[in-house]
Amino acid sequence: MGRVRPKGGGRVSAGCPTLCRMPLSPPPARPDLLRRLGLGRRGRTLGLATLVVVDAAFTISAFDLQRRIALGLGSDPSAPLTGLGGTISVLGMALAVTVVWRDRWPVALTLVGSAASLLAHLGPTLALIGLMTVIRLRPWARTYQLAPLVVLVTAVATWRDIDVEPRSMSFWAIFLGQEGAPHSWWVPVLLTVAAVGGFVGLGLWLRTRADLHTAEDVAASERQMVTTLTDQVSRQTERERLAREIHDGLGHNLSILSVHAGALEAMAEAAGDELVERPEGADAVEWRTAAQLKESAQVVRETAAKSVSELHSLLNILRNPGDADVAAPTKTLRDLRALIDDSVTAGMPLVATVYVEDGEAMDPPVAQAAYRIVQELLTNARKHAATVPVRLTMTGGPAEGELVIGTANHLPPPRWPPTHDGEVRPGTGLVGIRERVEHYGGDMQWGADAEAVFRVSVRLPWTLVDGADRREA
């Protein structure tokens, strides 16, 4: 029986003519959102680098002009830079590039920016950016160690800029509109406090925002953990209640059935002995009836005993779902022969073809699921089409990486034609099989064709998928 793989995902429906599969993992983040986040960070880096370049341009121009005046080379601001001025300008451009690594080495960036400001007559912007990043990413001890140095560097650079001659080369004089006016002592102090306070305040805001996001993530994680624990407790309570109900109800009924089946078997054996001792003898019909009665009673008794054993295993699993010894699979592919023989013995017209290569190598939970799926498929066929021949196929192996199970049988006339909407309604058995299949990362399809043949196809992976990708039933 062939299988058709769809191009897209979708849930399985009863009349689905093609194989529908559910996605096993959430969709990835949208690329446009990732691009926006990347552009945001690059934009901030470009803005900070531009501040360093502007600061370096003013300070280098002022320093080179003062040097040319001292050397008697003129005072034209538009003249080319001297050799020393050009070297410092290259250094300033290189320092602007280091802003890219501010998050990785903020302490080193602060120290380099401070040294460049004091020794190369550059501005304090790079040191201020480094201090801001230290506040955002490093322990407070580093901030307390570096803050005095950055304040000193900023004060020296501000005083040097305010005191530059000619005043037209002063950044702060142009910014404040006081190129020709004298300045008071408190002006550089106020500018130093404003510059350092601005960058420190921005660093504190960024750190507070990051801490808030971290706290929100921790709170969300704890809420999720509490929800998970609550669900686990609720499920365990429900398992305990369900185990009690099954034990008190179904266990009692199976025990009564086993007792009565044993009594019926004894009565059939006694009836056979009576036929042997009858003086006039017994005909063939009576002998066949007695033998069939005894055989049926024996099958009922053995089935009831098996059901009681499996019921105890199920109750242990319900009460101790995390115990590996309790929850270990009790049925494997090796037990399929007995399952098929039991179905045939019970009078089911079954034709089975099972070809599985190296079935012992299959993961035990998947093998247990395959056994239960075959068991439920045969039970459904026996329930809804008891007198109709059923075709069972099972193929697979490690080379294929999957196990394929299929059944096919004609629908009896009361169930054909289908309902007015053209679909065969699934029962709880098929729904349970689908949930079991999805739990192990497989897929399933079912439906009836135009010839009233009801087909079910199940594909299970040969090995278990990772827990992150496994769908919970």
Side-chain angles (χ1 to χ4, degrees):
M1 181 163 45
R3 294 177 296 109
V4 180
R5 297 183 182 273
K7 294 182 179 179
R11 293 196 65 85
V12 178
S13 62
C16 181
T18 59
L19 189 62
C20 303
R21 303 183 64 185
M22 290 293 293
L24 300 180
S25 59
R30 295 192 309 172
D32 56 345
L33 177 60
L34 298 178
R35 283 197 298 268
R36 286 200 300 270
L37 293 176
L39 289 176
R41 174 173 174 77
R42 286 194 291 268
R44 291 191 297 271
T45 301
L46 182 61
L48 293 176
T50 302
L51 287 179
V52 176
V53 171
V54 171
D55 188 10
F58 272 92
T59 53
I60 292 172
S61 299
F63 171 77
D64 191 72
L65 180 61
Q66 287 183 324
R67 189 167 181 275
R68 282 191 284 108
I69 292 176
L71 295 175
L73 300 177
S75 59
D76 184 9
S78 61
L81 295 175
T82 62
L84 181 59
T87 302
I88 297 177
S89 65
V90 172
L91 175 63
M93 298 301 105
L95 293 178
V97 175
T98 60
V99 174
V100 176
W101 300 287
R102 65 189 183 280
D103 291 346
R104 185 175 301 180
W105 298 297
V107 176
L109 186 69
T110 305
L111 295 176
V112 170
S114 301
S117 179
L118 292 176
L119 301 178
H121 288 262
L122 293 176
T125 303
L126 187 63
L128 291 171
I129 293 174
L131 179 63
M132 178 186 68
T133 310
V134 168
I135 294 174
R136 183 169 63 91
L137 299 177
R138 293 295 183 265
W140 289 110
R142 291 296 183 188
T143 302
Y144 300 146
Q145 294 171 358
L146 295 174
L149 175 62
V150 175
V151 171
L152 174 63
V153 168
T154 305
V156 171
T158 302
W159 182 271
R160 191 168 55 212
D161 180 81
I162 288 292
D163 199 48
V164 70
E165 292 294 341
R167 295 293 304 278
S168 60
M169 302 302 297
S170 170
F171 170 79
W172 288 114
I174 296 176
F175 181 78
L176 298 176
Q178 298 179 353
E179 293 89 344
H183 59 81
S184 303
W185 65 269
W186 52 267
V187 173
V189 175
L190 183 60
L191 293 176
T192 300
V193 172
V196 175
F199 279 91
V200 169
L202 184 58
L204 291 174
W205 177 74
L206 292 174
R207 181 172 185 137
T208 303
R209 189 181 66 170
D211 292 343
L212 180 60
H213 289 170
T214 302
E216 291 176 351
D217 293 340
V218 171
S221 177
E222 292 180 350
R223 285 195 299 268
Q224 181 65 29
M225 184 179 300
V226 171
T227 302
T228 302
L229 293 176
T230 303
D231 292 342
Q232 291 178 354
V233 172
S234 300
R235 286 196 297 268
Q236 185 62 31
T237 303
E238 184 64 21
R239 290 191 189 101
E240 293 287 347
R241 187 190 67 80
L242 184 59
R244 287 195 301 269
E245 293 294 333
I246 293 176
H247 180 272
D248 297 340
L250 186 58
H252 176 70
N253 294 336
L254 287 175
S255 299
I256 294 176
L257 179 62
S258 180
V259 171
H260 282 273
L264 182 60
E265 184 180 2
M267 292 173 60
E269 186 175 356
D273 294 339
E274 182 181 349
L275 291 177
V276 173
E277 297 174 355
R278 182 185 299 179
E280 65 275 13
D283 58 17
V285 175
E286 289 177 325
W287 281 110
R288 187 166 57 253
T289 302
Q292 290 178 350
L293 180 60
K294 181 180 179 180
E295 183 180 358
S296 298
Q298 183 180 2
V299 170
V300 172
R301 180 178 58 80
E302 292 176 353
T303 304
K306 289 181 182 178
S307 299
V308 171
S309 177
E310 292 190 1
L311 177 62
H312 288 163
S313 177
L314 174 62
L315 293 178
N316 288 332
I317 293 175
L318 285 174
R319 288 168 174 161
N320 305 281
D323 192 340
D325 296 333
V326 171
T330 58
K331 299 292 184 179
T332 63
L333 297 181
R334 181 181 298 177
D335 300 303
L336 284 176
R337 179 186 295 274
L339 176 63
I340 294 173
D341 292 342
D342 290 343
S343 300
V344 174
T345 303
M348 183 178 186
L350 175 63
V351 178
T353 302
V354 178
Y355 183 76
V356 180
E357 182 183 358
D358 197 10
E360 296 298 328
M362 193 173 194
D363 278 3
V366 182
Q368 166 78 351
Y371 177 89
R372 294 301 184 190
I373 289 171
V374 172
Q375 186 180 44
E376 185 62 31
L377 288 175
L378 295 180
T379 301
N380 275 352
R382 188 163 53 244
K383 182 190 304 181
H384 300 294
T387 60
V388 178
V390 178
R391 175 72 173 175
L392 169 67
T393 60
M394 176 183 287
T395 59
E400 293 83 357
E402 61 183 13
L403 183 69
V404 181
I405 305 169
T407 58
N409 60 272
H410 282 82
L411 290 172
R415 295 184 58 83
W416 188 264
T419 55
H420 65 279
D421 57 0
E423 291 188 353
V424 178
R425 299 298 183 186
T428 56
L430 290 177
V431 174
I433 293 175
R434 183 194 67 193
E435 292 176 351
R436 190 186 297 270
V437 169
E438 290 180 350
H439 176 74
Y440 289 103
D443 45 44
M444 174 184 179
Q445 68 170 351
W446 71 73
D449 58 19
E451 298 178 355
V453 178
F454 186 75
R455 304 178 187 273
V456 179
S457 178
V458 172
R459 184 198 65 85
L460 288 173
W462 191 259
T463 58
L464 285 176
V465 296
D466 293 339
D469 295 334
R470 186 184 305 166
R471 294 184 58 83
E472 292 295 334

